Amino acid sequence: MMIQEYLKSLGYATALIGKWHLGYHHEIGPLHRGFDRFYGFLGGQHDYFDPRLGDPTVGFPLDYDAYVFDQKEPVQKMDYLTDELTQRSIQFIEEQTKSKKPFFLYLAYNTPHPPMQAKWEKLEKYALKRSGKFNHRDITRAMIDSLDDGIGRIMTKLKELEIERDTLIIFTSDNGGADDRGEGQPVVQHNGGLRPRKGFLWEGGIRVPFILHWPKKLPTGITYIHPVSHLDIFATIVGITKPSQLPKPLDGINLLPYLQGKIKNMPHQTLFWGFESEVDRWAIRKGKWKLTRDVVSPKSQYDGTNVLVAELHDLENDPEERINLSAKYPEKVKELTELKEKFYTKCMPTIATQSVISAWQKDLQNRREKLPHSEQLRRDGAPGHWL
């Protein structure tokens, strides 16, 4: 059961506006997984100007049949995608407020995800600082400006409708920024010195913004110092709605009593991250200690060597993970490794069975034959392609 399915069972109106990325076919898409309303795209990335051009399957850059959809209908014309998602979200909020029905909105902005495209009205101020020129980081800044504007418009609408104090708003990201892509590659985003970028289990890949806003129930202006998880979102929502019976055992923790100061200790004594056990890339954090086994750097990943290392770090004193303490504290390495092994024994088998992989590979090959130079679509598509 997913969050929207649970809330729909309680009478909530549910909407996904934006990125789905949990299956590329409508029969396993959002309208079949508890969402009443869907406006967005099924894949991992999408053009910001052209509603046709997007990510049709894993491993294939872009194609002209990966539409933005309104329910199941392909969209033929849209505004800049970030602005369009904002407006559709506001419409849903207005409709549900008018009907007096409780609602759950999952607004999955894709910015600042590739293809890196910005509106000139947002990019111009950065270009003027460089005599009319701009760089990759400026494009990212302009894209984030559009994101900020969208969130501001939604907050203003909640206040106009007089529901802002009664609405729980959660702002977060699925991963860290795309920082160092290897030698000679443009730096697009950065993670404040954390090592190194999305796709890795070092702090730059997994430590993300996590903001909760609910004036009626939560104190404002505080910074919570203990680590939490995205898994806590579902558990927190269950804690708010107080069902007579939990939908299933949950991995997360209801954060409300912690944020309200009713519980003083840490929500999680131990946190885990990892890929399938065969890949042997994982991380475990217990208190201040984090043991990470991962590709050493983006450079080794992009040059194909994929050098794996296992390092122990004290995150209280070394959040950038620069000082490997494995040799100094072998007993801590042993303790965390054993906890990791115990955790993996409880993990369900992968859903990526051989039949699923074979079907994907066949689809991928067919698309490559149809569009042998598909990577050009990111550069030569709609106005606004500047990478």
Side-chain angles (χ1 to χ4, degrees):
M1 177 175 280
M2 303 174 78
I3 293 174
Q4 69 276 7
E5 294 171 314
Y6 165 69
L7 288 174
K8 186 172 181 177
S9 73
L10 298 181
Y12 280 69
T14 57
L16 164 58
I17 308 296
K19 177 177 176 176
W20 171 242
H21 208 196
L22 292 173
Y24 291 79
H25 301 286
H26 280 295
E27 57 265 30
I28 55 173
L31 296 176
H32 292 273
R33 293 307 306 267
F35 284 111
D36 303 312
R37 180 78 179 97
F38 172 52
Y39 183 96
F41 52 99
L42 298 173
Q45 58 183 318
H46 204 283
D47 193 277
Y48 289 81
F49 295 92
D50 190 332
R52 303 169 298 163
L53 185 58
D55 173 8
T57 188
V58 176
F60 195 83
L62 296 175
D63 203 346
Y64 277 111
D65 62 354
Y67 280 89
V68 169
F69 292 95
D70 188 343
Q71 300 298 82
K72 291 186 179 181
E73 293 299 316
V75 171
Q76 303 299 325
K77 184 179 180 181
M78 67 180 186
D79 289 335
Y80 180 69
L81 185 54
T82 303
D83 297 344
E84 190 74 61
L85 299 181
T86 298
Q87 186 56 39
R88 299 284 175 162
S89 297
I90 289 173
Q91 289 173 0
F92 176 76
I93 292 169
E94 289 176 328
E95 289 167 0
Q96 303 315 315
T97 304
K98 184 177 180 179
S99 70
K100 301 188 183 302
K101 188 172 185 178
F103 64 87
F104 169 68
L105 168 63
Y106 173 39
L107 170 53
Y109 284 115
N110 54 318
T111 194
H113 194 288
M116 305 306 291
Q117 301 168 280
K119 297 187 299 182
W120 179 246
E121 65 186 77
K122 296 295 184 187
L123 186 59
E124 184 178 18
K125 64 181 179 182
Y126 300 109
L128 289 175
K129 294 179 180 179
R130 304 180 193 277
S131 301
K133 300 178 181 180
F134 51 86
N135 60 26
H136 294 84
R137 184 65 62 79
D138 292 333
I139 296 172
T140 304
R141 291 187 179 107
M143 294 172 77
I144 293 174
D145 283 348
S146 292
L147 172 71
D148 289 344
D149 283 355
I151 295 171
R153 288 182 60 200
I154 290 170
M155 293 300 297
T156 297
K157 178 56 63 175
L158 293 173
K159 291 175 182 177
E160 288 177 359
L161 296 172
E162 299 182 345
I163 60 172
E164 182 241 355
R165 290 187 54 79
D166 291 326
T167 303
L168 171 61
I169 301 166
I170 301 173
F171 176 86
T172 188
S173 176
D174 55 348
N175 47 243
D179 192 348
D180 177 11
R181 293 178 62 92
E183 293 294 329
Q185 297 293 324
V187 175
V188 178
Q189 300 152 27
H190 69 87
N191 296 303
L194 298 179
R195 171 189 177 188
R197 67 185 299 270
K198 65 176 288 187
F200 293 81
L201 301 176
W202 310 106
E203 291 295 282
I206 63 175
R207 186 182 293 203
V208 297
F210 193 98
I211 302 169
L212 277 73
H213 176 83
W214 194 11
K216 191 172 182 178
K217 297 287 186 179
L218 293 174
T220 59
I222 67 167
T223 300
Y224 190 73
I225 63 171
H226 297 306
V228 299
S229 165
H230 283 154
L231 295 172
D232 299 329
I233 295 174
F234 198 166
T236 300
I237 289 173
V238 168
I240 293 168
T241 53
K242 295 182 173 62
S244 57
Q245 185 176 355
L246 289 176
K248 68 170 188 173
L250 297 176
D251 296 313
I253 301 292
N254 177 9
L255 296 177
L256 283 188
Y258 294 88
L259 300 177
Q260 292 167 338
K262 297 175 182 178
I263 301 179
K264 302 297 183 183
N265 58 316
M266 297 171 59
H268 301 278
Q269 296 302 312
T270 310
L271 288 169
F272 302 89
W273 300 264
F275 298 90
E276 298 169 14
S277 56
E278 294 80 7
V279 178
D280 201 23
R281 293 174 62 192
W282 48 268
I284 176 172
R285 176 172 179 172
K286 184 178 181 182
K288 70 176 185 176
W289 295 103
K290 182 182 170 202
L291 180 64
T292 306
R293 177 172 172 79
D294 202 0
V295 179
V296 64
S297 71
K299 185 177 185 300
S300 93
Q301 187 181 58
Y302 284 99
D303 66 17
T305 57
N306 275 344
V307 177
L308 283 167
V309 296
E311 296 184 9
L312 178 71
H313 297 277
D314 172 358
L315 294 184
E316 283 186 3
N317 297 300
D318 180 28
E320 296 182 356
E321 297 174 298
R322 308 298 180 190
I323 306 170
N324 180 13
L325 299 173
S326 297
K328 187 174 182 180
Y329 297 102
E331 73 287 350
K332 184 59 68 174
V333 173
K334 182 175 183 293
E335 173 194 350
L336 295 179
T337 302
E338 290 175 350
L339 284 173
K340 184 274 299 185
E341 294 292 343
K342 184 177 180 181
F343 172 76
Y344 267 96
T345 63
K346 301 178 181 178
C347 292
M348 296 289 288
T350 176
I351 62 172
T353 61
Q354 188 54 52
S355 62
V356 170
I357 293 172
S358 297
W360 162 68
Q361 289 174 334
K362 183 179 179 179
D363 186 26
L364 204 58
Q365 182 59 32
N366 290 338
R367 287 185 175 278
R368 285 172 176 161
E369 292 173 1
K370 185 183 92 171
L371 284 172
H373 303 293
S374 57
E375 70 280 355
Q376 296 292 326
L377 293 175
R378 181 176 293 176
R379 294 196 295 269
D380 303 334
H385 286 252
W386 290 306
L387 269 190

